[in-house]
Amino acid sequence: MPLVLRCDSVLIWTILSLSMFGLLMVYSATAAFEQSSTLYITKQLVAAAIGFAGMYSLMFIDYRRLRNERIVYGILGGCVFLLLLAAAMGTGANTRRFLRLGVLSLQPSELAKPATILFLAWYLERNRHMLHRFSSLGVPFAVIGTLSALILIGKDFGTTACLGILAGTMLFLAGAPLRHLFLCVVPAIPLAYLLVWQVQYRRARIFAFLDPDADPLGSGFQILQSQIAVGSGGWIGQGWMAGKQKMHFLPEVHTDFIFAMVAEELGLLGAMLVVAAFGLFLWRGLRSALGAPDQLGVYLAAGVTVMVVTQVMLNMGVVLGLLPTKGMPLPFISYGGSSLMTTLASSGVLLNISRFGR
């Protein structure tokens, strides 16, 4: 089988451009903070350096080594251990999502996404001929259920939903019948009801999504301020660093709502360029999956692509008021070291697979 020594140049330039753009927007979003305004961009630069180092390494370590059972279970076990540690000792605003490492912090739930992709890719390659049997879905759903339960202890419903979408999509692409996937989802419906409708702050987000003007200074404040930011950008925006909503009007502007600031400062044209860049990532990611020389490469490339694109759709849907408010970083762009490092490292695997593509 011929080896293409060069990786997908379009894909790597897309990843680098999005990452560099993200650093500029994080600096713009946090420069107005009264205290430690340089701390955020410094921490993001450190995370970017670690992420790029991981991406570069994984680009040139043959992805087929990930077929090793010890590596798969080692990464999965390490992820479970960190999630348990976060559940016992984690910190956060009314959550247990972060492990403090001095001035830095680690969010183990972000590691659960690539760990899920690796496990499913390994499992599906070995058992793809058995996917027509309902019993073959028992192991994947046991693993996903365990990870989801640990993530929910940290009150991170958004990552749990993302994990479910990722797993369901990978299983469907591998050939699992839709009726079997539906039967696996049915038991989760009552649980979703309890987690969303019976939890006051999540129920308030649903009502705010349906009618944000009903409580403009309370539950509807964030979504209304996000829409103001998006609308005030016009065609070409107010200019980089010139946005007003980041002046303590729009909460979480540097993390979950950074796309609103992109639209405000760079306008509709700038926002559409970001959407186009992610569209390019989707195209080249699927291209790498379709050209992969084996099933492991197909599932890994498809999983990484789906992981990034799912987060993009959920984040932009929330910012634009198309989905209820939920914390979800915009890949490559939002502030958050764990998200940036895991996304860049996962992209390294995707670029690695593109080197072997037909």
Side-chain angles (χ1 to χ4, degrees):
M1 183 178 299
L3 172 64
V4 180
L5 296 179
R6 292 185 301 172
C7 63
D8 188 332
S9 59
V10 175
L11 181 58
I12 193 170
W13 280 112
T14 301
I15 293 169
L16 291 174
S17 298
L18 283 168
S19 302
M20 294 300 104
F21 176 77
L23 292 173
L24 289 173
M25 298 314 296
V26 166
Y27 178 73
S28 176
T30 58
F33 292 180
E34 288 90 350
Q35 298 178 345
S36 304
S37 60
T38 60
L39 177 63
Y40 292 92
I41 187 60
T42 301
K43 292 167 68 175
Q44 193 74 349
L45 284 168
V46 171
I50 297 172
F52 281 129
M55 184 180 78
Y56 183 81
S57 299
L58 290 170
M59 280 173 60
F60 298 104
I61 298 175
D62 193 336
Y63 76 91
R64 289 171 292 194
R65 293 186 182 182
L66 297 175
R67 191 176 277 118
N68 189 306
E69 187 172 340
R70 293 182 179 179
I71 295 177
V72 174
Y73 281 110
I75 292 175
L76 194 62
C79 182
V80 170
F81 173 74
L82 290 173
L83 286 170
L84 286 170
L85 202 60
M89 305 171 55
T91 60
N94 301 317
T95 65
R96 293 182 178 180
R97 299 183 187 180
F98 300 94
L99 292 173
R100 295 296 176 185
L101 305 171
V103 296
L104 301 177
S105 61
L106 175 69
Q107 188 174 355
S109 60
E110 288 293 334
L111 304 178
K113 300 170 189 174
T116 297
I117 293 170
L118 175 59
F119 170 77
L120 286 178
W122 171 81
Y123 179 85
L124 292 173
E125 185 188 41
R126 292 165 62 102
N127 299 277
R128 62 184 182 277
H129 59 286
M130 299 174 56
L131 288 178
H132 63 282
R133 303 178 186 175
F134 182 72
S135 59
S136 67
L137 301 181
V139 173
F141 275 89
V143 172
I144 303 306
T146 301
L147 292 175
S148 298
L150 293 173
I151 293 171
L152 283 172
I153 293 176
K155 299 182 179 180
D156 192 350
F157 186 78
T159 300
T160 305
C162 185
L163 214 62
I165 294 171
L166 174 62
T169 304
M170 288 186 67
L171 288 167
F172 173 72
L173 292 175
L178 274 175
R179 63 182 182 278
H180 292 171
L181 295 176
F182 178 76
L183 289 174
C184 293
V185 171
V186 168
I189 295 176
L191 179 60
Y193 171 79
L194 293 174
L195 290 173
V196 176
W197 200 253
Q198 296 301 316
V199 178
Q200 192 277 331
Y201 73 91
R202 290 180 182 146
R203 185 171 64 248
R205 288 175 176 177
I206 300 294
F207 287 124
F209 164 68
L210 296 173
D211 186 12
D213 292 307
D215 188 11
L217 298 179
S219 59
F221 180 80
Q222 193 167 28
I223 189 170
L224 288 174
Q225 294 301 314
S226 175
Q227 291 174 346
I228 290 171
V230 173
S232 63
W235 282 98
I236 59 173
Q238 300 180 13
W240 183 61
M241 298 285 293
K244 304 297 188 297
Q245 290 300 102
K246 63 188 178 185
M247 304 294 184
H248 306 291
F249 292 103
L250 177 58
E252 308 300 333
V253 66
H254 60 306
T255 54
D256 305 332
F257 282 80
I258 199 166
F259 186 66
M261 195 191 72
V262 171
E264 181 186 15
E265 296 191 350
L266 304 180
L268 178 63
L269 295 177
M272 291 305 296
L273 284 175
V274 173
V275 173
F278 282 115
L280 198 59
F281 182 94
L282 172 62
W283 169 39
R284 306 303 285 195
L286 293 179
R287 182 176 181 271
S288 297
L290 292 173
D294 54 24
Q295 292 298 310
L296 180 68
V298 171
Y299 299 141
L300 283 173
V304 172
T305 304
V306 170
M307 177 188 75
V308 172
V309 173
T310 298
Q311 291 182 85
V312 170
M313 294 175 65
L314 292 175
N315 178 276
M316 292 184 178
V318 168
V319 168
L320 298 175
L322 302 176
L323 293 171
T325 302
K326 185 66 197 84
M328 180 66 63
L330 186 60
F332 301 112
I333 297 177
S334 287
Y335 172 78
S338 299
S339 173
L340 183 60
M341 287 187 292
T342 54
T343 305
L344 286 173
S346 301
S347 299
V349 176
L350 182 58
L351 289 166
N352 187 307
I353 296 168
S354 74
R355 297 175 64 229
F356 294 82
R358 293 190 296 273

